[in-house]
Each structure stands twice: as structure tokens, then as C-alpha cells.
Amino acid sequence: MAALTTTFFIFTVLSMFPLTEQGSSLNQKLRVKPGETVTLHCYDLSCAAVTKIKWTRSDLKSEDKYVFFHRDNRSYEDYQLPSYHGRVKLIDQQKMDGVASVILTNVNINDTGTYKCVTSNERKKSFTHFTYLTVTDSVSQHAADVELYEGEEFVLLPCEFPTFRIDEPTVVWSRYDLNPSTVHQRQQEGDDRKDQNQLYSSRTSMKTFALETGDLSLNLTNLRLSDSGTYTCTVRSSRWGEDRVTDVRLQVKEPFPSWAKVLLVLLVVGPLIGGLVVCFRPYFKPVYRVEVDSEVESVQLPFKTTSDLPEDVSVEWRDGDNRKVHVYQNGSDQLEEQDEYYRGRTEMKRNLKPVDFSLTLKYPTDGDRNTYTCTVYNKERNILIMKEVILQVKVNRVEVDSGVESVQLPLETTVHLPEDVSVEWRDNADKKVHVYQSCSDQPEEQDEYYRGRTEMKRNLKPGDFSLTLKYPTDVDSRTYTCTIYNKERNILMKKQVKLLIKVCQVEVKEGEDSVELPFMTVGDLPEDTEVKWLHFESLKMVHVYKKGSDRPDGQNEDYRDQTEMKRNLKPVDVSLMLNSPKLTDTGRYICEVYSKKENIRRRKTVQLKVKVSSAEQIEIEDETVDMRIRSSSSNETPLMADQSL
């Protein structure tokens, strides 16, 4: 029974908290070659049994056919698209730990597209995940994801994956055309550079809390021509195996050659200069980079040229994942061709003289950071001109220590707003954090995880809808989006704030009587509340509280008679007292508080470091000195002895 309890708790610890009802919480981007096998990730984030799994292609017009369909512990090939017969299977046939990921074998060019996974469970909740898969038989067929010039200060190669769900994850950035192939490696203990290729020595880094937040982006500095290549982001775990998350292709170009500059200066003949300019035209091609704040209403991706184009051209804007951002054909926009992520958010200019096909993207967020390619075709679908624009969206960042009573997510604006606005704060799992409508807060619309933990300012002049989040923990480290609507539900303003809560750090010397692992939160909890403390590294259950009393039968024997927990449910204080801390008690302690009746969940991580006591340290140092004296005496040679005589 204790083993089952531990297994259940481990899953909830590794789940993405808080739980999401009908939410989207994972976006995966993959690029593979034909013939390869790829894993499309999907998770049910609740503790309930999964009853149905549906994998579809959102870019295909097929409503009654699936890439994969699984219900009541069996797969239905009759519902499957013919092209996927025999090529898709569950990664875990038992659907253990809520995993609904599938393995797609022998991929081909036609498998390129947007894959949507929807899981349903016995609690009538559903979870949605997206995977953007690109299958290419030649790297040269597609434009590079990132294009920069030699000598630029840095580039950020994006990668996101919920590593906080995984037991002891390792993230590896690789270039498989090099030997050794490792560009950068991050483990739970920090960066591991022993296998790093020396070409990247002292030039790579990842964010401090990358594994805790799931933002695994790689920062590469002092760009060189030799940095051009395909970078693969991989997540490894002893339990989950290895998953290739995404590929990013980087192209570092040589700036205009110095010898060409000298030659152009020396040449004085006009026609020759003109010919050389045409010859060296690729060097003059600028890299268009657009950078905006997440709070702007829109951003323009420029596309202008002096070339003469026929009137029957077609124009396609695509992102770095090959999704169609905007399509213009036969003299009009083709909205049905547009990927659903961009639907209703784009407008394109249609000027032929002079040519201007610039694209306006409304309400950009950090999810829109990408390389966008505009391609102009003639009626025979031959490419006439192509251009790339790199979009960077800056997000306001708030960072606080764990244990603070509250944190404010700022939203201030000078924009004039009507009095009947409605305001929604959501997290990056699309859960409603706070809702304000009809001149009052709407707590019934709020996700239960945030209920009783938020307060929002309501100032229209000047506009201030900043949100206060009470008793934040490391689980609250995520991106929050505030959207302001008018009464017709048209968006007036949108802004993002990235919150980072540092993990609570506690230090104590070995031999002390006790140490407290703090956990306080807001709100009252019902009588059926259960509390579990787990030592993450050893996966040992430290303390269990259930049905109004401690449950030593669910506790690991190593912690018997060593723990005491506060039991204040009104207000909530479930801090743990660990008696006689030892060096082996060092590690991460994860506490989960939940109520099945009220569907309430709270979670916090506390990092404990037990240090050697001063007395022991002196004793160790004395022993070391004594050993050195005895070693020195025993190493005396006969010659040295004769000389001393």
C-alpha cells in the first residue's frame, strides 16, 4: 500500500501543476528526416484514469478520421487515416502516469503538419497538446531557422519541454556533424562540460532555472562561421529514456569581404562596378530583425522590393515550423489555408507598385518568437523572391524569492480604455488566473488552483490592472498573459509577464536539534485534505497526513520518529519539522497539499542543505594534518637521514 501511495505521489509531483481543465500545456517542435522514428508527446495532467486519446492533424480537412484513436484500453484502426495504418502506437500501452505519447515510425514528407492530441479522463476533463512536425529529405530545401552574421554577440536557440515532470532530467544540445557532438549539457547539479566540444568552450550557457521552468533555450555567444549547422535539443532520463525535442538550424554568414571592399574602391569604371554589385549581391542582403515588447498591439514584418512582379502572384508567409501564417492567392486572402494559431491575427499589404507584402501580426506574445519567411510565386509556382524576418518578442520578467507573502504582476498602460472593459489573466497552460467582468471580479470563472490567491487593481485612469498573487511557490514560475476586451469581446490590449520564483533554500548544520521546511499558503482547506512530503532524490516518502492525522504506515522507515508537521488548515501552514538532520538528508523536499472533494492542490519545493558541523570539521582537519605529518616522516630517505646526522 505504501508503494502504491508513493507511486501515485511521484506522478503528481512530476505533473505540470496546477491542473488544467480543457487547457493546452505543451507545444513540441520537431524536424526529422524521412524514414526516421519520432515520438509525439502528450500527457494527461490529472490523477484520473485516461479513457480516451485522440491524435489528429489539424491542418487536414478530415473530421471523422484520426492519426490515432484509443478508447477503453484499445486502439481503433478503422477510425485511422489510411496513411498512418501500422505506423502509430502508444509509447506506453498501459497508459501509466497519464502518458498519451505515441511513436510514429517510417516518417515521410507527407507527415509534415500540426498534430493535435486530446485526452479525456474519468473526471470528464480534457487536455490538449500540439506538436509541429517537419519532415525534410534535405536540409538545403528549407530556409535556416536562424540566420546571422559572423561576429554578432549572441544568438538564442529555442527549446521548451516540461522537464519539471521528469525524474532527474538531463538536457543535451548537440551537433551530430561534429566529434564530440556535445555543444552543451545541463543536469540537475548544473552544467556538465566534460564532454563539450572545445569549439564551444566558454561560449554556451542556459538559464539558471532551465530545468525548473522548462525553458531549455541555448545562448551561444561570439558567433563564428564554423557555428553554422543543425543543433538538436534532447532530453534524457533514466526512467523515460531519450527524447529529441527540437532541431534548430543556424546559419552564420560571412560579412561583406574586405578584399571586395578594396576592389570596389579601386574600380572607377561604372559598368564594371555595376557588374560587381550584381555579383556580390548576396553580401548586401540585410538580415531583418524586428524586436518588440509583448504589450504592443501589433508588429509589422516588413517585405518590400523594387523588383517588377506580375499581377497574378501568390504570396505565402510561413513560420520556422513551416506553419502557414498568411496566404494570398487569386487576388484575395485564403483564410482557410491559414494555421489556426494565426487565424484572425494577420493582415497583409497587397501593393504591387511599389511591391509591399509586409505582414501585420496582432497581439504578439513570446510564443510568436520565430523566423518568418515570405515567398512570392508566379502562377506556375516558381519562386520569384523570398525573404526572412526574425521576430523577437520581449516579455517583462518578475523574479522573487520563495517565501514572500505575495508578488505583483504589473500591467500599466496610458491607453484610454472604456469603463465596460473585461479583463482576463491566464497562465501559459490557459487556465484562468483572474477574471474581471461587468465591473466586478468573477471568482466562479477562476481556476480552483488560483481561487482565493489573487487580487487585481481596477484603475482605468491611468490604466492599471496589475495582479497580486499570494503565497507564490516554485510551481507558479510561468508566463502570465493579461487580455483586455471591450463589451463586444474585441481585444483592446494584451501583455505578458514572466514570473520566476526561486526555490526555497534552507541550510542547517548536522547535529542541530531540528530544521523547519516551511510551507504556508492562503485560504482554508477542507477536512479531507491530504498532505505528503517527499524527498525527491531518493523518492522516499518523508511524511504523510491524511484524514485528520499523521499516517506513519505511509512513511519511509528512514524517517520514522524524525518528522513533525504543523496541521493548521485555517490558515494553511503545513511546514515540516525534521529532527536531528543528517548529511544524507540534503536534497529537494516536495510537499503536495490536495483535497479530492474540493479539487484543491498546492505544491512547493524546499531545497535543504545539511552542512558539516564546526566540531566535525575541526576534527577532520586535525586528522588530515596528523596524516600529513606521519606521511612526511615515513617518506624520509636513508640519504636524508645520513645528512641530518
Side-chain angles (χ1 to χ4, degrees):
M1 182 66 183
L4 289 174
T5 304
T6 303
T7 302
F8 171 79
F9 180 69
I10 291 170
F11 163 70
T12 54
V13 165
L14 297 178
S15 295
M16 183 187 299
F17 281 87
L19 295 178
T20 307
E21 183 171 3
Q22 297 178 339
S24 173
S25 54
L26 174 65
N27 289 330
Q28 183 187 15
K29 302 175 184 178
L30 293 172
R31 178 178 279 109
V32 296
K33 293 181 180 179
E36 292 186 343
T37 296
V38 63
T39 300
L40 310 179
H41 289 282
C42 183
Y43 304 95
D44 188 292
L45 306 182
S46 71
C47 298
V50 178
T51 57
K52 189 192 311 183
I53 302 171
K54 296 190 296 184
W55 277 94
T56 58
R57 279 273 300 274
S58 59
D59 54 321
L60 296 181
K61 305 291 188 290
S62 179
E63 299 179 359
D64 57 344
K65 293 290 184 180
Y66 301 91
V67 173
F68 182 81
F69 185 83
H70 191 94
R71 183 174 61 194
D72 298 330
N73 295 317
R74 61 165 292 197
S75 302
Y76 291 81
E77 194 171 85
D78 293 342
Y79 295 171
Q80 198 174 27
L81 290 163
S83 61
Y84 291 95
H85 281 180
R87 296 199 297 131
V88 189
K89 66 176 182 178
L90 272 178
I91 195 171
D92 187 344
Q93 294 294 341
Q94 303 298 320
K95 301 197 296 302
M96 297 280 290
D97 297 329
V99 177
S101 305
V102 295
I103 298 174
L104 175 61
T105 62
N106 194 25
V107 297
N108 57 68
I109 299 295
N110 295 326
D111 291 332
T112 295
T114 302
Y115 291 75
K116 180 179 180 180
C117 171
V118 179
T119 63
S120 302
N121 59 47
E122 61 185 5
R123 293 181 182 172
K124 308 302 181 184
K125 289 187 176 183
S126 64
F127 299 83
T128 305
H129 305 259
F130 290 93
T131 298
Y132 309 109
L133 176 64
T134 302
V135 183
T136 169
D137 57 357
S138 173
V139 172
S140 62
Q141 285 186 357
H142 295 270
D145 294 317
V146 182
E147 184 177 296
L148 296 166
Y149 280 116
E150 182 184 26
E152 293 205 29
E153 292 185 6
F154 74 94
V155 63
L156 194 66
L157 308 181
C159 179
E160 293 185 0
F161 192 81
T163 43
F164 41 81
R165 287 177 47 91
I166 298 177
D167 183 13
E168 297 183 358
T170 297
V171 179
V172 182
W173 277 92
S174 309
R175 262 187 66 184
Y176 292 115
D177 58 323
L178 299 178
N179 187 18
S181 62
T182 301
V183 176
H184 192 92
Q185 182 165 307
R186 167 67 64 84
Q187 295 176 327
Q188 221 41 77
E189 299 79 15
D191 293 326
D192 182 0
R193 303 183 185 274
K194 66 177 185 295
D195 296 325
Q196 185 182 39
N197 191 300
Q198 289 305 301
L199 291 174
Y200 296 94
S201 179
S202 303
R203 295 199 298 131
T204 60
S205 63
M206 292 174 63
K207 294 181 179 179
T208 305
F209 298 98
L211 298 181
E212 287 81 1
T213 63
D215 185 353
L216 313 178
S217 302
L218 179 71
N219 187 56
L220 176 61
T221 61
N222 301 324
L223 295 181
R224 307 169 182 172
L225 291 176
S226 59
D227 292 334
S228 294
T230 300
Y231 293 76
T232 301
C233 176
T234 303
V235 176
R236 298 172 182 168
S237 168
S238 57
R239 180 182 180 188
W240 296 94
E242 180 174 307
D243 290 312
R244 189 166 82 179
V245 179
T246 189
D247 292 330
V248 181
R249 288 190 298 113
L250 173 65
Q251 183 178 357
V252 182
K253 289 188 173 184
E254 184 181 3
F256 193 85
S258 57
W259 60 266
K261 294 180 183 178
V262 174
L263 184 58
L264 285 174
V265 171
L266 293 175
L267 291 171
V268 294
V269 182
L272 289 177
I273 293 177
L276 286 170
V277 169
V278 172
C279 179
F280 297 134
R281 185 176 180 180
Y283 291 108
F284 289 108
K285 181 182 177 181
V287 176
Y288 288 90
R289 302 172 68 89
V290 178
E291 187 171 308
V292 295
D293 293 319
S294 66
E295 60 196 76
V296 298
E297 184 175 347
S298 64
V299 59
Q300 187 177 89
L301 309 181
F303 185 109
K304 296 180 181 180
T305 180
T306 57
S307 303
D308 291 329
L309 298 176
E311 293 186 0
D312 56 354
V313 296
S314 59
V315 183
E316 280 188 8
W317 278 91
R318 289 178 180 260
D319 63 15
D321 304 304
N322 208 34
R323 292 178 292 177
K324 292 181 180 179
V325 180
H326 196 95
V327 179
Y328 173 80
Q329 198 171 8
N330 299 325
S332 62
D333 296 324
Q334 305 294 315
L335 302 181
E336 68 281 358
E337 296 288 328
Q338 191 176 33
D339 188 272
E340 61 182 0
Y341 178 74
Y342 295 102
R343 208 155 285 169
R345 297 178 57 212
T346 61
E347 290 180 7
M348 193 191 79
K349 294 185 178 181
R350 313 168 187 175
N351 304 330
L352 283 173
K353 295 181 180 179
V355 175
D356 188 351
F357 295 127
S358 300
L359 184 75
T360 297
L361 180 63
K362 299 177 182 177
Y363 310 112
T365 67
D366 63 336
D368 295 315
R369 290 180 300 174
N370 218 318
T371 299
Y372 295 84
T373 303
C374 180
T375 308
V376 182
Y377 303 88
N378 61 16
K379 61 181 180 180
E380 290 82 19
R381 294 294 290 177
N382 297 318
I383 297 176
L384 300 177
I385 191 170
M386 183 184 289
K387 178 181 173 181
E388 289 183 352
V389 181
I390 298 173
L391 175 62
Q392 296 285 350
V393 182
K394 296 186 295 183
V395 177
N396 190 18
R397 184 186 177 102
V398 176
E399 186 172 328
V400 295
D401 292 321
S402 178
V404 297
E405 187 172 335
S406 64
V407 61
Q408 186 176 89
L409 309 181
L411 194 153
E412 298 177 354
T413 178
T414 57
V415 176
H416 177 73
L417 297 172
E419 293 186 0
D420 55 356
V421 296
S422 58
V423 183
E424 281 187 8
W425 279 91
R426 291 177 180 260
D427 63 17
N428 55 356
D430 205 35
K431 289 182 306 300
K432 292 180 180 179
V433 180
H434 195 95
V435 179
Y436 173 81
Q437 198 171 8
S438 303
C439 298
S440 64
D441 296 325
Q442 306 293 316
E444 69 279 0
E445 295 286 327
Q446 192 176 30
D447 186 272
E448 60 264 16
Y449 177 77
Y450 295 102
R451 206 158 287 167
R453 297 180 59 212
T454 61
E455 289 181 6
M456 192 191 77
K457 294 184 178 181
R458 312 167 189 176
N459 303 328
L460 286 172
K461 297 178 182 179
D464 188 350
F465 298 102
S466 300
L467 185 74
T468 297
L469 181 62
K470 300 176 183 178
Y471 294 101
T473 70
D474 53 292
V475 182
D476 296 312
S477 293
R478 52 187 63 224
T479 300
Y480 297 84
T481 303
C482 179
T483 308
I484 302 176
Y485 303 88
N486 62 13
K487 62 180 179 180
E488 289 82 20
R489 294 294 291 178
N490 296 318
I491 297 176
L492 302 178
M493 185 179 177
K494 201 171 191 178
K495 182 179 178 179
Q496 288 184 312
V497 180
K498 196 163 192 173
L499 176 62
L500 182 61
I501 310 294
K502 297 179 182 178
V503 174
C504 179
Q505 306 283 333
V506 176
E507 286 192 2
V508 66
K509 290 182 179 179
E510 187 179 30
E512 295 284 343
D513 291 339
S514 63
V515 61
E516 183 176 278
L517 310 182
F519 188 6
M520 293 175 289
T521 186
V522 73
D524 299 335
L525 294 178
E527 295 299 325
D528 73 328
T529 296
E530 297 183 18
V531 183
K532 295 179 181 180
W533 280 89
L534 177 84
H535 185 265
F536 186 77
E537 282 74 15
S538 65
L539 298 181
K540 294 178 179 178
M541 192 63 67
V542 179
H543 196 94
V544 179
Y545 173 86
K546 189 176 181 180
K547 295 182 179 180
S549 63
D550 296 326
R551 302 297 295 269
D553 56 321
Q555 187 180 32
N556 187 280
E557 59 183 9
D558 290 348
Y559 291 96
R560 295 267 167 85
D561 303 321
Q562 193 185 350
T563 61
E564 296 177 21
M565 193 193 79
K566 294 183 179 180
R567 309 172 186 179
N568 302 331
L569 299 181
K570 300 179 181 182
V572 180
D573 186 353
V574 291
S575 301
L576 185 73
M577 191 70 70
L578 186 63
N579 298 321
S580 304
K582 305 180 293 293
L583 290 176
T584 53
D585 292 327
T586 294
R588 280 177 296 167
Y589 290 78
I590 299 177
C591 179
E592 185 196 44
V593 180
Y594 58 95
S595 163
K596 293 181 180 178
K597 180 180 178 181
E598 300 292 336
N599 199 18
I600 295 174
R601 292 185 182 274
R602 301 282 189 272
R603 176 179 173 243
K604 182 177 181 178
T605 303
V606 179
Q607 180 74 43
L608 174 64
K609 182 177 181 180
V610 182
K611 300 187 295 184
V612 178
S613 64
S614 302
E616 290 179 348
Q617 186 66 37
I618 293 172
E619 184 177 342
I620 291 171
E621 290 176 355
D622 288 344
E623 289 180 1
T624 304
V625 171
D626 183 56
M627 288 177 65
R628 287 175 180 171
I629 292 172
R630 283 184 282 137
S631 174
S632 175
S633 301
S634 63
N635 285 339
E636 204 172 53
T637 64
L639 179 61
M640 292 175 64
D642 291 342
Q643 288 175 341
S644 64
L645 287 172

